Amino acid sequence: MGDSKDLACAISNSQGKSDETSSIENAAAYTETNLNATSDSTSRWARFKNSMKRMEDDIDPNLSEAEKAEIRALKSEGEKLKKGIKIRHLVLIAIATGIGTGLLVGSGSSLSKGGPAGLLIGIIIVGSMLIPVMEAAGELAVTYGDLTGGFNAYNSILVDTSMCFAVSWNYCIQWLVVMPLELVTASMTIKYWTTSVNPDAFVVIFYVVIIIANFIGSDGYAEFEFFLNCSKTLMIIGFSILSIILVCGGAGDHGYYGAHYWHDPGAFAHGFKGVCAVFVSSAFSLGCTEFLAFSAAEQPNPRRSIPSATKQVFYRIVFLFVIPLFLIGLLVPYNSPDLLGSSGGSKTHSSPFVIAVSTVPVVSHIVNAVILLAVLSVGNSALFCSSRTLQALAEQGFAPQFFNYIDRSGKPLRALIFSSIIGLFSFIAAYDKQETVFNWLLSISGLSTILSWTGIVLSHIRFRKALACQGYSISELGYVSKTGVWGSWYAFTINVLILIAQFWIALWPVGGDGSADAENFFMNYLGMVVAIVFYFGHKIWTKNWRLFIPADEIDLVKGRKIFDADVLAQEDAEDREKYRYAAWYVKLFRIMC
């Protein structure tokens, strides 16, 4: 990267022009040239050291804010282009989102508590609630696409600043603990092959790899993620096919399974309370699904891409979650001693996916290896997301400004260092009560996901209320949720009921003696306790005592993209005309996808 004098010189060449756009264009040309020149003329180590400097260090302070913002954007875009993200990478990321610890490992604990029927009911209820969440997120993302802080920031302008503060910090804490959670899970996964090696020995290796990937990165990062996502998806598909064969008695030495385990030991492990116990794990399994709505909102035609993304979510839930979990309920009894959360027995393998195919030894090793890759992939993403979330909090004024440091390569350097330090907590993997640590981390992460979904749909409800109160029409929106306000109310109700159910089973745990258990309560409800503390702490600090921003006071102008209703109607008419005379299979594909 060139120095600030060269940059000022490039900017000064445009001073003779009348408009500011010309100046920005020259700055853009300079920035692009320097990005390429620096890459060719300096050593890799020098580039690495220079990339750690603050992005502002090589920007002339005398430039206008518009010019500075344009240069920052160009630099960040230059780094993004180097990553080589292609459509096929994005497609696999969309498909494989959620295939991680919650599904591959946490579902074992859910099966032991809820039984096969409870496991299935939990994932279906949470999955059905995600459809209106996706639609609400899509509508808000198109309307407020450039809002700092992402979807949690909608609360600050549509609901209440204190709620935004609480939910955003809870979301940040979630990502901070996910990396240790994934590394602890990885050490548990390796126990399938060996228990003689200290788990921290493996944690060191995984931790170093993740740190290097996030601080340095590589040109093959996208291909690596593509490989991991392909592996996870193919494993789930292959597992489902093999499981059907096993259930029918076509492989293994067990013979015909059928629905035997639904009768003995039974469909429900602990009745209604057992069903309530699976919701948090189900939410964690399906976490981050809402990101697909925001990715779709950035496409050239969000009115087409968001409904398509919602359909993809439905297919993912059915084929990658519901069907595999149903098959697991047929192959693994909920009282198996090898399940995570079971009472006693060997814990050398806790994933129900591995247990289900254990009668086919070679396949069980392959499945366990893919699970290991999956949790490491999520751990890598967790460090990436936690650092960016912390930096966004600092930019919003919700965290110390110390963390609002972006280096020349676009990394939030100080936030990344802090997140890496928190990641050291993963070395607790050598602790004897490893499952206890897992449950603590899983509870914090799962509840945070539910709170974020609640914030999205509540923001959508308040947004529609403000539109009606202030006389705006939904025809001015770039995208209108297909499930509408009633869909958001449904999702809001389900999320509140899940939080209530979790409170019940946290205080009076499944399989307990009926008395309140304080330790279990904090282990399973800590995420909500943290959110409440942040919520009231912010209200006390700011002396903001109102519950909601009144609908007539919500600012519907600042930051909102207003679309021309006539133009949108014309686009819809053209879209209908385009497919009016199309072949039947084209129309079918459009309906299905």
Side-chain angles (χ1 to χ4, degrees):
M1 202 72 67
D3 59 29
S4 58
K5 291 182 179 179
D6 294 331
L7 181 59
C9 181
I11 296 295
S12 66
N13 290 334
S14 64
Q15 290 179 350
K17 299 183 180 180
S18 58
D19 58 2
E20 189 179 57
T21 304
S22 299
S23 179
I24 294 177
E25 289 175 352
N26 280 349
Y30 167 83
T31 304
E32 183 176 359
T33 301
N34 271 266
L35 282 170
N36 295 329
T38 302
S39 178
D40 296 333
S41 61
T42 59
S43 67
R44 184 178 295 274
W45 174 245
R47 293 199 304 271
F48 174 69
K49 289 193 298 181
N50 288 333
S51 70
M52 295 295 183
K53 297 179 180 179
R54 185 189 287 270
M55 184 177 285
E56 304 289 339
D57 288 349
D58 60 348
I59 299 179
D60 189 346
N62 297 320
L63 301 179
S64 69
E65 289 302 319
E67 291 169 333
K68 291 179 181 178
E70 184 70 13
I71 293 171
R72 294 189 200 101
L74 285 166
K75 289 178 179 178
S76 298
E77 186 64 26
E79 291 301 316
K80 291 177 184 177
L81 292 174
K82 291 179 183 178
K83 293 180 181 178
I85 303 296
K86 299 180 177 64
I87 295 297
R88 61 187 175 89
H89 300 141
L90 296 177
V91 170
L92 261 295
I93 290 172
I95 292 174
T97 299
I99 302 178
T101 298
L103 173 66
L104 302 176
V105 179
S107 56
S109 177
S110 296
L111 179 61
S112 68
K113 294 176 182 177
L119 180 64
L120 206 58
I121 291 171
I123 200 72
I124 289 175
I125 290 177
V126 175
S128 69
M129 175 264 296
L130 267 179
I131 301 302
V133 170
M134 281 284 296
E135 289 290 320
E139 181 175 308
L140 293 174
V142 173
T143 304
Y144 295 101
D146 299 326
L147 192 63
T148 300
F151 54 85
N152 286 326
Y154 299 144
N155 296 290
S156 64
I157 59 176
L158 299 171
V159 184
D160 176 57
T161 307
S162 297
M163 181 175 178
C164 177
F165 180 80
V167 173
S168 297
W169 262 109
N170 208 272
Y171 186 76
C172 182
I173 292 173
Q174 170 199 358
W175 281 114
L176 286 171
V177 303
V178 163
M179 179 185 171
L181 170 65
E182 299 299 326
L183 293 185
V184 169
T185 305
S187 67
M188 294 167 63
T189 303
I190 286 183
K191 283 187 176 182
Y192 182 68
W193 292 304
T194 178
T195 57
S196 60
V197 180
N198 189 311
D200 281 347
F202 298 107
V203 171
V204 169
I205 299 172
F206 302 147
Y207 181 85
V208 171
V209 169
I210 290 175
I211 293 298
I212 291 175
N214 276 269
F215 273 88
I216 299 179
S218 67
D219 295 336
Y221 175 81
E223 295 296 341
F224 180 63
E225 286 298 313
F226 179 78
F227 165 74
L228 291 178
N229 288 320
C230 278
S231 300
K232 291 189 286 185
T233 305
L234 292 175
M235 187 274 283
I236 294 294
I237 295 173
F239 170 84
S240 298
I241 296 173
L242 177 59
S243 295
I244 294 173
I245 298 173
L246 288 171
V247 168
C248 297
D253 54 5
H254 185 279
Y256 178 74
Y257 281 88
H260 173 73
Y261 290 139
W262 279 63
H263 299 285
D264 180 22
F268 295 95
H270 297 92
F272 179 68
K273 180 177 283 189
V275 176
C276 294
V278 308
F279 287 126
V280 169
S281 179
S282 298
F284 182 68
S285 299
L286 294 169
C288 300
T289 303
E290 67 280 356
F291 276 114
L292 299 182
F294 297 97
S295 298
E298 295 176 357
Q299 300 301 312
N301 185 8
R303 296 163 69 83
R304 179 73 183 93
S305 58
I306 293 175
S308 177
T310 302
K311 293 172 186 176
Q312 292 175 26
V313 168
F314 173 78
Y315 298 142
R316 285 179 57 254
I317 292 172
V318 172
F319 293 106
L320 298 182
F321 290 86
V322 175
I323 292 178
L325 291 178
F326 170 70
L327 293 171
I328 281 175
L330 296 176
L331 294 170
V332 183
Y334 70 72
N335 60 356
S336 169
D338 294 322
L339 283 173
L340 182 69
S342 62
S343 55
S346 171
K347 300 297 187 300
T348 56
H349 46 81
S350 55
S351 170
F353 285 82
V354 175
I355 299 172
V357 296
S358 59
T359 56
V360 188
V362 175
V363 176
S364 64
H365 287 284
I366 295 173
V367 171
N368 202 64
V370 174
I371 291 173
L372 180 61
L373 293 177
V375 297
L376 292 178
S377 175
V378 176
N380 186 41
S381 300
L383 182 58
F384 179 91
C385 292
S386 61
S387 59
R388 272 111 186 125
T389 303
L390 182 58
Q391 184 274 327
L393 285 172
E395 190 173 347
Q396 290 175 273
F398 289 160
Q401 286 300 303
F402 173 82
F403 294 114
N404 192 16
Y405 180 102
I406 300 177
D407 65 20
R408 296 181 182 182
S409 63
K411 297 191 301 290
L413 185 60
R414 292 173 181 171
L416 187 58
I417 293 173
F418 178 80
S419 300
S420 302
I421 294 173
I422 297 297
L424 292 172
F425 186 71
S426 57
F427 286 95
I428 205 170
Y431 181 48
D432 291 338
K433 296 183 178 180
Q434 199 177 58
E435 290 184 30
T436 302
V437 176
F438 179 89
N439 288 329
W440 275 91
L441 297 176
L442 182 61
S443 174
I444 295 174
S445 304
L447 286 180
S448 176
T449 300
I450 293 171
L451 290 173
S452 294
W453 291 340
T454 304
I456 290 173
V457 294
L458 185 57
S459 295
H460 182 243
I461 292 169
R462 298 298 299 168
F463 175 62
R464 288 294 191 91
K465 178 69 174 177
L467 286 176
C469 181
Q470 299 182 30
Y472 290 93
S473 171
I474 61 173
S475 62
E476 300 177 15
L477 302 178
Y479 177 76
V480 178
S481 168
K482 296 295 186 294
T483 55
V485 178
W486 287 110
S488 292
W489 273 114
Y490 167 76
F492 178 78
T493 303
I494 294 296
N495 278 307
V496 171
L497 291 176
I498 290 175
L499 291 174
I500 294 173
Q502 183 66 11
F503 177 86
W504 177 38
I505 64 170
L507 195 56
W508 293 279
V510 172
D513 57 5
S515 60
D517 188 334
E519 180 181 355
N520 189 78
F521 173 79
F522 285 103
M523 179 184 294
N524 291 278
Y525 215 66
L526 184 61
M528 190 63 183
V529 174
V530 171
I532 292 173
V533 169
F534 275 109
Y535 178 79
F536 285 105
H538 186 268
K539 285 200 170 295
I540 293 172
W541 181 264
T542 60
K543 297 181 174 58
N544 167 33
W545 303 113
R546 62 183 179 183
L547 187 61
F548 294 114
I549 302 173
D552 58 348
E553 294 183 16
I554 292 177
D555 189 349
L556 293 176
V557 177
K558 183 179 179 181
R560 184 166 78 92
K561 296 180 182 178
I562 301 176
F563 296 82
D564 189 314
D566 294 333
V567 173
L568 296 177
Q570 180 65 26
E571 290 178 355
D572 290 340
E574 292 175 355
D575 191 54
R576 288 193 298 269
E577 187 65 24
K578 177 181 178 181
Y579 290 94
R580 183 177 179 181
Y581 301 106
W584 66 269
Y585 54 86
V586 175
K587 294 180 179 179
L588 180 62
F589 180 81
R590 174 178 168 78
I591 293 172
M592 299 299 294
C593 301

